[in-house]
Amino acid sequence: MTRRETSAELFERFRSNLTIRTLLKAIQREIKPLNRSLRIMEVCGTHTMTLHRSGLKPLLRETGVEMVSGPGCPVCITPDFYHEAIIDLVTSRRNIVVATFGDMTRVPTRKGSLQTTVPAAGSEIKIVYSPEEAQELARNRPDSEVIFFGAGFETTIPAIAFTVRQAASEGLKNFSLLGALWLIPPAIEAILQSGEVTIDGFIYPGHVSAIIGQQAYEFVAEKYGLPGAIAGFEPADILLGLLSVVRQIRQGQPTVANEYRRVVTFNGNQKARQLMAEMFEPFEATWRGLGPIKNSGLRLKKEWQSFEAREKFRLRFEAGRPHPAGCRCGEVLKGLIDPVECPLFARSCHPDHPLGPCMVSYEGACLIEYKYSSGAKRK
Amino acid sequence: MCLAVPGKIISIEPNGTGKVDYMGTTVVANLSLLPEAKVGDWVIVHAGFAISRLDRQEARRTLRLFKQLEKLNSSD
Ligand code: SF4
């Protein structure tokens, strides 16, 4: 067998109808004796995407599992005031290059979006695919100040840490970071502590877990008595995770199952975790919808402050006022409402004219819902 | 967003990057977070960095589990 056949065969099995039917049936068998339906939160936006795209959501509902989307979209949970601060800078100062991921440029704020804003003379907004690409811009444009405006979870943070350290060792002085860097476990804990939403268990993110490892979620089982499973991104991966969660509920033994062992280990990626700890320190960050959460964000440590755009350009963050459009993204991110329950969904808010980040980002629950189910039908 | 599919490392350069093949499409990934990576490994790449190796034995184990569940279902 050639190597290509091996990988193709592998992934075909994770998507095949037979596997999906088999797993749904197994879940059904486990759920039956419970005599009730379950509400399970998928924390990660890429899982939300798989669930919709593969048509699993309604099938699971029939089986007795209601999937609730969580806060796992970094673009969505980054509050407006990050964007507003960087918009203020790029419109008022010359020779500023804001380098950011594509969907970040489309987030609407009271001051427009990075896409609609008109930069000052010599300044511009550039879309990049990686922090290293932003760094390359800084190398090539010594007369400009390049700011990487990056939103991300533990999956992306090590790459950003590496890039800043690299900039420091090169002595690259015209490069800095406006990081919107979020940590998943504190957000899960905040959702549990708020007690606003009833959840029977969690599907934990696959690639965040590749970095932080299975160990990171133990508090959910130990302190809150809730089951959970780490899952990969193929339809069968999610079902395998759910099978484990339902089984944990039936047996009354909540734990952290790792159903993505081909990629995730108990301790995660040690090298990446070390690098994060070397460059960043946790602080009480404010999430859209969830508000301030202790130790839930990362910022550069004191010794790297010359790369901190907030300090370097004295960016002013004006937290507080809600977005005037009446966007309910915050409640979507907490699992309190489904996108369709937002009165603006598919009416004044749609992908061509998003009113909130949840309709902008590819991982945003509103965009995903629009693309794969109700929104598309209404069109 | 997470790219679910792993790619295969086809070469490693002295500067710590590697060429990763996705069914014929090649991308360059920084391998610094995965010092143990070698040519022939399947890796997950995120934001330009390889973050994890795919353990093919574990993948096969999961496939075997699917088979077992199939049998269990048909004996229902
Ligand atoms: S549909 Fe639009 S306005 Fe409503 S919550 Fe989603 S992003 Fe916000």
Side-chain angles (χ1 to χ4, degrees):
Chain A
M1 199 185 289
T2 72
R3 67 180 168 85
R4 277 207 183 146
E5 277 168 335
T6 312
S7 88
E9 182 211 52
L10 188 76
F11 287 98
E12 202 187 300
R13 288 300 305 275
F14 278 89
R15 290 172 194 163
S16 81
N17 278 334
L18 175 64
T19 314
I20 289 173
R21 273 203 312 273
T22 303
L23 285 162
L24 279 169
K25 202 166 167 199
I27 292 171
Q28 209 162 25
R29 196 167 34 227
E30 291 288 337
I31 211 169
K32 220 168 167 192
L34 293 174
N35 267 323
R36 66 178 179 110
S37 58
L38 300 172
R39 279 167 63 83
I40 311 288
M41 177 176 275
E42 89 272 7
V43 177
C44 164
T46 309
H47 279 150
T48 309
M49 176 89 124
T50 305
L51 283 163
H52 276 87
R53 193 164 50 188
S54 61
L56 278 182
K57 232 179 128 103
L59 289 174
L60 280 166
R61 193 172 289 146
E62 278 167 34
T63 315
V65 182
E66 187 67 44
M67 296 303 295
V68 184
S69 307
C73 159
V75 174
C76 306
I77 51 96
T78 300
D80 297 12
F81 56 79
Y82 281 78
H83 292 265
E84 290 173 355
I86 199 80
I87 288 173
D88 278 346
L89 181 72
V90 76
T91 51
S92 65
R93 243 184 95 144
R94 302 168 81 96
N95 301 327
I96 295 281
V97 178
V98 175
T100 190
F101 297 136
D103 37 7
M104 289 291 275
T105 64
R106 297 182 56 234
V107 173
T109 74
R110 286 179 297 253
K111 299 185 175 180
S113 69
L114 280 167
Q115 195 181 48
T116 58
T117 207
V118 182
S123 292
E124 64 179 308
I125 291 138
K126 281 265 194 193
I127 291 174
V128 292
Y129 295 94
S130 71
E132 286 194 308
E133 219 179 294
Q135 190 180 31
E136 184 64 22
L137 273 174
R139 286 191 198 106
N140 295 336
R141 300 177 61 161
D143 299 331
S144 292
E145 280 289 342
V146 177
I147 301 164
F148 177 60
F149 178 26
F153 293 123
E154 290 92 334
T155 335
T156 318
I157 297 171
I160 298 177
F162 181 91
T163 308
V164 174
R165 202 179 60 178
Q166 181 68 30
S169 71
E170 276 177 33
L172 199 60
K173 295 213 160 37
N174 63 330
F175 179 74
S176 59
L177 168 71
L178 173 57
L181 312 178
W182 315 98
L183 302 175
I184 286 290
I188 292 178
E189 182 141 38
I191 287 177
L192 290 171
Q193 275 177 353
S194 82
E196 285 176 302
V197 54
T198 334
I199 302 167
D200 296 297
F202 288 99
I203 294 296
Y204 299 122
H207 293 163
V208 162
S209 307
I211 303 290
I212 64 180
Q214 188 181 357
Q215 53 88 31
Y217 311 99
E218 282 182 328
F219 72 95
V220 180
E222 281 165 16
K223 208 165 139 192
Y224 297 92
L226 282 180
I230 297 165
F233 297 107
E234 300 296 335
D237 283 318
I238 298 184
L239 292 176
L240 209 52
L242 283 170
L243 178 60
S244 164
V245 171
V246 178
R247 197 171 275 162
Q248 291 172 47
I249 294 173
R250 188 177 60 70
Q251 296 173 342
Q253 284 169 347
T255 177
V256 182
N258 181 359
E259 298 298 345
Y260 195 28
R261 279 185 296 268
R262 64 183 187 276
V263 168
V264 174
T265 59
F266 185 75
N267 285 316
N269 183 327
Q270 298 288 9
K271 179 94 200 243
R273 287 175 65 190
Q274 272 163 19
L275 190 61
M276 278 163 75
E278 180 189 331
M279 305 299 293
F280 295 108
E281 62 186 15
F283 75 109
E284 184 178 89
T286 299
W287 297 51
R288 187 192 295 267
L290 281 76
I293 305 171
K294 229 174 124 194
N295 293 333
S296 68
L298 289 182
R299 62 182 175 207
L300 285 167
K301 283 185 174 171
K302 277 227 164 54
E303 54 264 51
W304 313 103
Q305 279 309 299
S306 57
F307 294 96
E308 176 58 75
R310 274 171 97 145
E311 294 296 319
K312 194 170 180 180
F313 302 101
R314 299 184 195 288
L315 296 182
R316 285 232 313 274
F317 279 21
E318 290 174 50
R321 288 173 299 158
H323 195 252
C327 166
R328 296 180 69 185
C329 230
E331 289 154 273
V332 171
L333 293 165
K334 283 196 278 193
L336 289 177
I337 63 164
D338 250 3
V340 289
E341 291 173 63
C342 169
L344 308 176
F345 179 83
R347 294 196 176 89
S348 50
C349 181
H350 42 85
D352 298 332
H353 182 257
L355 296 176
C358 298
M359 190 59 93
V360 170
S361 169
Y362 299 109
E363 292 169 302
C366 299
L367 180 64
I368 295 170
E369 174 83 38
Y370 187 98
K371 260 169 74 179
Y372 294 106
S373 33
S374 39
K377 264 179 246 141
R378 279 182 210 204
K379 225 179 168 180
Chain B
M1 197 173 68
C2 292
L3 187 58
V5 212
K8 185 183 170 137
I9 300 181
I10 49 176
S11 71
I12 296 182
E13 314 299 323
N15 67 359
T17 65
K19 288 209 176 88
V20 178
D21 171 67
Y22 287 91
M23 299 278 177
T25 311
T26 309
V27 303
V28 175
N30 191 315
L31 301 179
S32 307
L33 300 175
L34 221 52
E36 71 278 19
K38 41 186 204 317
V39 171
D41 281 348
W42 290 85
V43 291
I44 301 287
V45 177
H46 188 89
F49 284 71
I51 58 165
S52 183
R53 278 204 304 183
L54 182 100
D55 183 334
R56 265 173 285 183
Q57 220 165 334
E58 285 291 354
R60 277 187 216 111
R61 215 167 279 164
T62 306
L63 291 183
R64 279 203 294 277
L65 180 70
F66 294 159
K67 276 252 179 299
Q68 282 165 11
L69 286 170
E70 266 166 47
K71 275 203 202 110
L72 203 66
N73 280 350
S74 57
S75 66
D76 254 12

